[in-house]
Amino acid sequence: MTVRRDFKEPARCRPDLVIGRDELFTAARDQLTRGGSVLLHGPAGIGKSTVLRALAADYGEAARTVLRCSATESESHLPFLALADLFGLVLDEVSDKLPVAQRTALESALTGRGESTLQRDGLALRLAVLSALRALAAAGPVLLVADDLQWLDSASAELLGFAARRLGDTPVQLLCAVRTEEQEYDRHLRASPPDTLAVRLNPLSRAQVSALLDHRGYSDLPRSTMREIHRTSGGNPLFALELGRALGESPTPPRPGEPLPVPTSLRALVLSRLDMLSDEARRTLLVASAGARPTLALLHAAGRENAEAETAQAAALGLLATEPEGPAVRFAHPLISAALYAEAPAQERRAAHAALSTAASDPIERARNLALATTGTDPEVAARLAEAAALARDRGAPSVAASLGLLAARHTPPDGAPAPDDRRLQAAEDAITAGEVDLARDVAREVLTRATVPAERIRAWEVVIEAAGQSLGEVDAVFPQALADAGDDPRLLALVHYRLAWRKLIVEGDFAEAREEAAHTADLAACGDDRRTELMALSFQASTETLMGHPNAPTTIKRALREPQDPYVACHHNGVGAARFRWLLMSDQLPEARSTITALLREVRRRGMVESEVHFQRFLAETELRSGHCGRALDLARESLRLARDSGIGLGASAMLASLAEASGGDVDRALALAREAAGKAEEDGDQMYVSRALAALGHAQLVAGDAAGAVGSLRRVRELEQGLGITDPARGRWQGDLAEALVRVGEPGEAQDVIDVTREHALRLGRESVLAVLDRAEAMVRAARGDHEAALSRLTSVQDRLAKLGYGLEEARAAFALAMLRTGRPGPTSFDEAARLFRRCRALPWLRQVDAAVAAAVPGTVAVPPQTAPPSDALEGLASMERQVAALVMEGATNREIAARLFISVKTVEATLTRVYRKLGIRSRVDIVRLAAGRHAK
């Protein structure tokens, strides 16, 4: 039976639409399934009611009776109201099962007839509620759903708490939600059953806020605006939705540097306490809201003489958070600052910015405030802003530089020098660097509506093309227009042909044509004396030659490394550093590849080059995966994917690499889902180059999952695609060994041998030693399938040694596993010990599960116990960042010296950090950490 209080579930609250709450939803659902109770808690607007309704809809069918109530503040003074909501419609069902005194007290409380009170009928009422729940539970499980416990009338709260603490094994579960700040849920937890799981709803990430707004129809907001919504809302879904709605309804977006418009509904919610402030305190808070990093010293410098007393008054009202260890003035929630600013008259805002334009110590902050204090054009203000933008660019803050550049353009007179559109295009280029592709594209297209100078138009077209990312097919119409604007100027033509080279590779999937186009671009750039474009073209040519196995690749890399160099090209993800990294990785020079990409990653982070950071994070993950550091690779790949989703850059490539990392060190089901996502994204973008890589990742995940037939299907298609693309270097995707192994498993050793023979020819030509070793491992499986076990065993032993010397830890472990499988039934189950040890060293959890299954199959009566999928992250959750990194590397088998080199710290620091790790985890040695990696508790 379900008792009504109009809790009919709206479609948007189905569990699959509870955005950003997957883990806590699963945890709560599992708790309910086990027969326990759940208390959801968090601040206003965080989504408690949404999750509560979704859980009730998802789990409610398992209960015979569902009792519901939802309290409101205006009704909280009415005694027994919640009790009436819960039991009003089931009173007839339970009343005859209660003792007379209890029945009389309960009926009086629920119907309002008589004058039942807790003081007079306390014990009878308490026992009546407990007896009523037991009577309902005797007929089947009962689920009690209560929202907004903080508004529950005190009488009902007391009665329910009494019953909840005494239910024992009675099949009655509570699913409740309460509004709390920090850890104030304790008193509600004490009034819940002993087995209640308290689940705190935390703020959403930026990507989750973006998904929420997209689901509600606000999908056309620029990423820079989405970032500001996330910052202003503090990740609160209600606040984010209201801000998104206000932006959607606003005819004009906020100007650069200005806060978001705050709707009246949110202003009323967060500013209700402002009326209690003095006028002077309110002005002080306005200056603080206009500043980027307000402090008491800054407020004094801006003319707020009584800042201490006025901020203390605001803190007492809950408008400011106290900062006992620092001078910062921090609002209790970002929305308070935004609403306060939005509420202030324009004249008062300008006055606050004018005060800050002289008070701020940072030149960038002074310039920003000067711009917001100034109306109309002003060449001096524009020049100050342009200087500040250049300073932000040098500091590695391109997003700030873009914002300042747009402000500079707005204050530049039409006949100014540089012209307003020059400054807009510089801002667009900064936005591209920062990953703000939507903003960059919109600015460039605006400039194109009026630009007539060819160089200016080509610069704008470059931004439009760059903003398209991998979806170059969507801007096909741009190229003829850009070529026409370039005329016969070799410098401008080089810029357009460089983009055409990328189009040849991504859209047409023609490596040979792309290489020729890149070489032509380099010649044009040299004629036009454009060294930056020449270097970018040579880097692209070198990367293409490396991927396609062209013999000229080393020579082209040397050409690209000649002086003079360009710092931007040196660290760009399509520059010479990246080209050299690819060549090192494919040439089995893993240590040098790691040091190269680590240095590049550090530099682009310093410069704020978001797109390059996404790619380099993925490259480093790939390097660690090749080295057999599966745990480290998984962490890096997940971070790269998070950054890609957040920025909208390189999503398909990051999903592809994350799939490979999950299949090696994480969750195989997730690996399959990510590979399919990557393939779908590549197909959608028309990216021929990454379709094959995504399918190779899918085939690998299918092989690890035990779906050999599926792996064969996916990898056969990869073979066809790469033949069409002209890719001959097997080190590019390294899928050939997987295909041969899968073919053996499905009973096609002949085709497997053909794959091995063709691939070996190219690997020998290019000197790809690790590929040759993997091919030999696959060939051993072919020989075993044909009955030549001795030759197979001999070859596998050799392969394992070769892979160990090359540093390919996971491939070495796979060879040891294959060797153990061939020996099954001969020396006994201990033949799997070496494979298990190597997989544990790699933190290759999916492969460890395969070893357990193989042992169970080899020894009758043995039960395979798969390792937990993610014990290390759980075990390390309480550690500091450096402690987690050190412990993770220990889990991978790294020595203290290797850890020091990887993290750029001293060996002594590693030793001290490990001592802290041991103490926090309650363990005694490195061995105990390795046991955690294998999913076992430390002894």
Side-chain angles (χ1 to χ4, degrees), residues 158-220:
E158 169 63 25
L159 293 169
L160 289 174
F162 175 87
R165 291 189 294 270
R166 290 165 175 80
L167 285 169
D169 294 332
T170 307
V172 176
Q173 298 169 263
L174 273 65
L175 172 58
C176 306
V178 60
R179 179 188 300 182
T180 59
E181 297 295 338
E182 303 301 332
Q183 300 298 315
E184 296 174 1
Y185 65 93
D186 288 353
R187 64 185 180 90
H188 298 284
L189 193 60
R190 287 194 295 271
S192 302
D195 61 349
T196 299
L197 173 68
V199 178
R200 179 169 178 82
L201 276 71
N202 291 314
L204 299 180
S205 68
R206 191 193 307 177
Q208 290 164 346
V209 166
S210 178
L212 176 65
L213 290 169
D214 184 63
H215 172 61
R216 296 298 178 88
Y218 306 118
S219 55
D220 55 348

Side-chain angles (χ1 to χ4, degrees), residues 659-669 671-672 696-712 715 738 741-742 745 777 810-811 814 817 839 844-851 853:
S659 171
L660 291 171
E662 291 283 355
S664 298
D667 182 86
V668 179
D669 289 337
L672 291 166
L698 177 60
H700 179 72
Q702 289 168 324
L703 182 66
V704 176
D707 179 12
V712 167
L715 296 175
D738 284 344
E741 183 175 337
R745 291 191 191 182
R777 184 184 69 205
L810 183 59
E811 299 295 351
R814 287 181 64 179
F817 186 32
F839 282 134
L845 302 181
W847 289 100
L848 272 170
R849 285 190 283 273
Q850 289 198 31
V851 172

Side-chain angles (χ1 to χ4, degrees), residues 418-682:
D421 280 346
D422 282 340
R423 284 177 166 153
R424 287 189 181 92
L425 287 173
Q426 178 61 64
E429 291 162 357
D430 287 330
I432 284 286
T433 301
E436 306 283 1
V437 292
D438 295 335
L439 173 64
R441 181 188 59 244
D442 293 345
V443 170
R445 288 201 177 276
E446 179 196 347
V447 170
L448 283 166
T449 61
R450 54 180 174 264
T452 57
V453 177
E456 200 172 76
R457 290 185 63 80
I458 293 299
R459 193 177 174 190
W461 285 128
E462 274 208 289
V463 171
V464 171
I465 296 169
E466 183 77 14
Q470 300 294 105
S471 306
L472 284 179
E474 295 179 2
V475 291
D476 263 351
V478 165
F479 292 103
Q481 298 176 64
L483 285 170
D485 286 335
D488 57 1
D489 186 330
R491 189 182 184 92
L492 299 181
L493 283 170
L495 294 171
V496 181
H497 279 278
Y498 175 72
R499 305 293 174 180
L500 282 169
W502 276 103
R503 186 191 175 281
K504 292 283 187 185
L505 182 63
I506 291 174
V507 179
E508 297 181 15
D510 193 324
F511 273 70
E513 285 290 328
R515 174 182 174 272
E516 291 298 325
E517 192 71 68
H520 179 51
T521 299
D523 292 341
L524 285 169
C527 290
D529 198 25
D530 181 358
R531 181 60 174 165
R532 172 173 289 191
T533 303
E534 181 186 8
L535 287 171
M536 290 294 287
L538 287 170
S539 300
F540 178 75
Q541 181 183 343
S543 294
T544 307
E545 289 172 348
T546 299
L547 292 172
M548 64 191 297
H550 196 284
N552 287 359
T555 302
T556 308
I557 290 174
K558 288 179 182 177
R559 284 183 61 197
L561 287 169
R562 288 175 190 161
E563 296 295 337
Q565 283 295 309
D566 183 295
Y568 173 81
V569 177
C571 65
H572 192 273
H573 58 279
N574 291 321
V576 63
R580 181 171 176 271
F581 160 76
R582 289 188 186 93
W583 186 80
L584 289 169
L585 188 67
M586 294 174 68
S587 301
D588 299 325
Q589 299 181 54
L590 296 182
E592 194 169 352
R594 181 187 293 108
S595 61
T596 298
I597 199 61
T598 301
L600 288 170
L601 182 59
R602 188 187 306 113
E603 178 63 16
V604 297
R605 282 175 173 163
R606 187 188 71 79
R607 290 170 171 262
M609 298 169 67
V610 175
E611 183 172 7
S612 294
E613 181 182 355
V614 172
H615 292 295
F616 289 162
Q617 185 105 342
R618 188 179 76 251
F619 291 167
L620 181 56
E622 184 175 2
T623 307
E624 299 293 1
L625 196 58
R626 297 269 180 96
S627 303
H629 304 144
C630 299
R632 172 77 171 147
L634 185 59
D635 290 343
L636 289 165
R638 286 174 174 171
E639 175 62 19
S640 174
L641 183 60
R642 185 202 62 75
L643 189 59
R645 292 195 195 283
D646 198 21
S647 64
I649 296 169
L651 182 54
S654 293
M656 176 274 299
L657 201 281
S659 171
L660 291 171
E662 291 283 355
S664 298
D667 182 86
V668 179
D669 289 337
R670 180 164 171 75
L672 291 166
L674 285 168
R676 292 187 175 103
E677 177 188 347
K681 186 72 173 63

Side-chain angles (χ1 to χ4, degrees), residues 193-250:
D195 61 349
T196 299
L197 173 68
V199 178
R200 179 169 178 82
L201 276 71
N202 291 314
L204 299 180
S205 68
R206 191 193 307 177
Q208 290 164 346
V209 166
S210 178
L212 176 65
L213 290 169
D214 184 63
H215 172 61
R216 296 298 178 88
Y218 306 118
S219 55
D220 55 348
L221 296 173
R223 293 190 180 277
S224 55
T225 302
M226 200 71 73
R227 182 186 63 207
E228 192 62 20
I229 288 176
H230 180 258
R231 187 196 67 78
T232 303
S233 69
N236 184 296
L238 172 64
F239 297 172
L241 285 171
E242 286 297 298
L243 290 168
R245 181 183 60 77
L247 282 167
E249 295 174 355
S250 175

Side-chain angles (χ1 to χ4, degrees), residues 800 816-817 820 828-841 848 851-852 855 936:
Q800 184 179 341
F817 186 32
T830 55
S831 61
F832 287 99
D833 289 351
E834 173 70 358
R837 182 187 69 81
L838 292 172
F839 282 134
R840 276 198 299 273
R841 185 184 69 181
L848 272 170
V851 172
D852 283 344
V855 171
R936 301 188 175 107

